[in-house]
Amino acid sequence: MNAAEEIHDGLVSRTASLLGGPATFKRALTTRLDAHAMILSGFPGDALVHLSENVAIIRTPEAFQKALGVSLRTLQRHKKESASKKLSQEQSGRAWKFAEILEKAVEVFGTQAAAEEFLERPAIGLNQHRPIDLLATPAGVELVETHLERIKYGVYT
């Protein structure tokens, strides 16, 4: 495994941890193929619950809906029902992508609190849009990822 693959595998593991890690998935996710397989089969509902309990910026219904495309009612249903209730592929994919972007922001800003602050703050490089508001579409997700890469390499501060 080369250095780039090792860094990517670290990102996958950290992303999976935001969703509950092995306790949620019943196994470690260490590669993008592991994540792909879990998304296809649908994450356990506990992944949403774990994410909502450990990421402050998505604790409001509006932010949760924007970031994950899932209503508060769906989250409440997953909290009530057993962990065996699975998310759809789309819900699993959105949850994964949000967690992955948050982890990329942690890499850039150093802490989860700073990363969450970045997601909530209007950004000049995003035409004054808040990154969290752009996560509702694939095009917006791509914009946020590109913006983070530019910050990482010093294009935006």
Side-chain angles (χ1 to χ4, degrees):
M1 180 177 337
N2 66 34
E5 288 171 329
E6 287 178 23
I7 289 169
H8 228 10
D9 285 352
L11 177 62
V12 169
S13 296
R14 290 189 313 276
T15 300
S17 290
L18 273 175
L19 297 161
T24 296
F25 298 112
K26 307 301 181 226
R27 66 185 186 98
L29 303 183
T30 57
T31 68
R32 288 182 124 348
L33 283 174
D34 291 341
H36 170 75
M38 283 303 301
I39 290 167
L40 283 178
S41 67
F43 288 172
D46 280 350
L48 271 187
V49 174
H50 192 273
L51 191 62
S52 71
E53 291 173 348
N54 292 285
V55 180
I57 62 170
I58 60 171
R59 290 197 180 129
T60 67
E62 300 81 28
F64 195 81
Q65 175 75 35
K66 282 180 186 177
L68 298 165
V70 176
S71 71
L72 181 62
R73 178 71 188 111
T74 298
L75 175 63
Q76 290 168 339
R77 196 168 47 250
H78 282 291
K79 281 183 176 181
K80 246 194 213 176
E81 295 174 357
S82 70
S84 62
K85 177 77 172 159
K86 292 197 176 227
L87 303 177
S88 69
Q89 283 182 12
E90 181 182 350
Q91 291 168 333
S92 298
R94 293 274 307 259
W96 180 265
K97 187 46 88 173
F98 174 78
E100 185 177 58
I101 286 173
L102 181 57
E103 277 304 316
K104 286 178 181 180
V106 169
E107 284 179 1
V108 171
F109 295 104
T111 66
Q112 184 170 324
E116 289 186 42
E117 184 179 319
F118 158 76
L119 290 171
E120 289 187 301
R121 196 174 55 236
I124 293 170
L126 297 172
N127 201 25
Q128 294 303 321
H129 290 293
R130 295 181 332 147
I132 197 164
D133 295 337
L134 296 173
L135 299 180
T137 68
V141 166
E142 190 175 325
L143 284 167
V144 173
E145 288 179 316
T146 300
H147 186 64
L148 277 168
E149 283 295 311
R150 289 176 169 220
I151 292 170
K152 183 176 179 179
Y153 294 107
V155 177
Y156 296 119
T157 55

